Amino acid sequence: MSGLSETERAGFTKILSLMTKCDLLSLSDTVTNKMIVVENITEAKETILAFTKNAEELLRRKKVQRDLIFKYLATEGVAMPPNSEKHMLIKRTLELWSSVKVVDENPQGEAASSDVNCGMGFDPLVLGQQFCQWFFQLLNSQNLSLGQQPQDWGPQHFWPDVKLRLLSKAGSEQMEEFLGADLVSRRFLALTRDERLLFSPNLDPHGLKALTSPHGLVLVAVAGTIHRDSVCLGIFEQIFGLIRSPLDNNSWKIKFVNLKIRGQDALSGTDVAAPALTYNSSELQLLCS
């Protein structure tokens, strides 16, 4: 009976899980014209999905609020300007679902194996996009305010001697350094789980750069916005150094991270909507050497 594709169902399942019980029951009544009485949240979700003829119709419902769609897109690694109107968010969500290129849970491994097969055809930008989608989805899932099941975060995604440099400007400037997979992974966890931050990377060409060094290091630089709930707190720029791990199915692991965070008050007139990288290629090359 449902007119939704598998991808749309999976997407709506995430969006509906962000809704309150009261709104879910009300939405179920609306969708079924009160023909079906549901007993609990699970039944309400199933009923809503079963009686929905198409995805756009459901996204337009009043109870599917703008903020829910914004939050959902952020967890999927899709950056949208914080002031986007609901119709823009709906359009972007439908585009995302129609592209049906379901990102593998672990694009590191996927990117690694496809690269080996095509010899010289390795495109660092494709790896950069896949890596950022994977990394930020994983990191954002630790933020409990999204109501998502946290994914498998931990030191296993980093090299044992990984180094994190964290530079934050919000009023005053602070510089922190962390060494080792355990400390680095815990510092990231503190940002999302404890400080409830949400990272929304800008994967458009001006927000993402990637390049390789002759020694097998891939540099991925990305800019984006940082949110808490529906408030945009500022922007970030992050550079990852990735190296393959032959012991772990040749998957990519993080060797170093430079993270620069600027709060709204330190931005003074910068366009926050879709921040661009301020690093140029020659600065990145220096990091490769």
Side-chain angles (χ1 to χ4, degrees), residues 45-282:
K45 288 180 189 171
E46 277 307 312
T47 307
I48 291 164
L49 293 177
F51 277 78
T52 294
K53 293 186 196 64
N54 67 59
E56 187 171 356
E57 172 192 288
L58 183 51
L59 286 169
R60 287 189 183 283
R61 298 275 184 199
K62 205 188 274 140
K63 292 289 182 199
V64 182
Q65 291 158 3
R66 176 203 163 280
D67 286 0
L68 297 179
I69 305 175
F70 183 84
K71 238 181 211 184
Y72 164 73
L73 286 172
T75 62
E76 296 298 307
V78 177
M80 290 294 284
N83 56 351
S84 302
E85 291 180 16
K86 185 176 174 183
H87 69 92
M88 293 301 296
L89 298 173
I90 291 176
K91 182 168 174 278
R92 188 67 190 87
T93 305
L94 293 171
E95 281 169 8
L96 177 71
W97 290 346
S98 66
S99 64
V100 190
K101 212 180 83 213
V102 180
V103 175
D104 186 346
E105 281 300 310
N106 182 3
Q108 301 165 298
E110 182 190 80
S113 54
S114 61
D115 159 12
V116 175
N117 300 343
C118 37
M120 294 306 290
F122 171 56
D123 182 350
L125 200 58
V126 173
L127 172 71
Q129 281 181 314
Q130 286 187 334
F131 171 78
C132 286
Q133 275 188 308
W134 168 82
F135 179 84
F136 290 106
Q137 202 174 345
L138 179 67
L139 184 60
N140 286 334
S141 77
Q142 312 304 316
N143 179 333
L144 299 177
S145 68
L146 288 175
Q148 272 203 329
Q149 187 63 37
Q151 295 169 21
D152 179 26
W153 179 262
Q156 69 273 22
H157 303 303
F158 301 89
W159 282 90
D161 61 349
V162 61
K163 187 175 184 180
L164 165 65
R165 297 181 63 188
L166 175 58
L167 178 69
S168 46
K169 287 184 189 172
S172 61
E173 191 169 302
Q174 253 186 320
M175 174 71 171
E176 301 173 75
E177 287 205 351
F178 301 87
L179 195 60
D182 198 44
L183 277 178
V184 169
S185 111
R186 278 195 278 177
R187 183 64 185 100
F188 271 116
L189 194 55
L191 290 171
T192 45
R193 191 184 60 193
D194 306 338
E195 298 177 39
R196 300 209 329 279
L197 297 179
L198 192 66
F199 288 80
S200 182
N202 175 15
L203 301 182
D204 291 337
H206 63 282
L208 179 74
K209 282 195 177 89
L211 40 99
T212 51
S213 82
H215 324 296
L217 175 74
V218 174
L219 273 190
V220 177
V222 64
T225 47
I226 295 184
H227 308 260
R228 183 179 289 126
D229 301 323
S230 52
V231 181
C232 178
L233 301 178
I235 64 178
F236 72 91
E237 285 189 84
Q238 196 157 355
I239 300 177
F240 298 94
L242 307 178
I243 297 180
R244 281 231 176 97
S245 170
L247 299 175
D248 292 290
N249 301 332
N250 236 357
S251 65
W252 294 94
K253 289 197 170 191
I254 302 167
K255 181 74 171 171
F256 68 81
V257 188
N258 292 355
L259 174 57
K260 204 161 72 173
I261 294 178
R262 287 183 293 164
Q264 284 281 29
D265 48 357
L267 291 176
S268 62
T270 317
D271 176 22
V272 173
L277 276 172
T278 57
Y279 294 98
N280 62 33
S281 295
S282 53

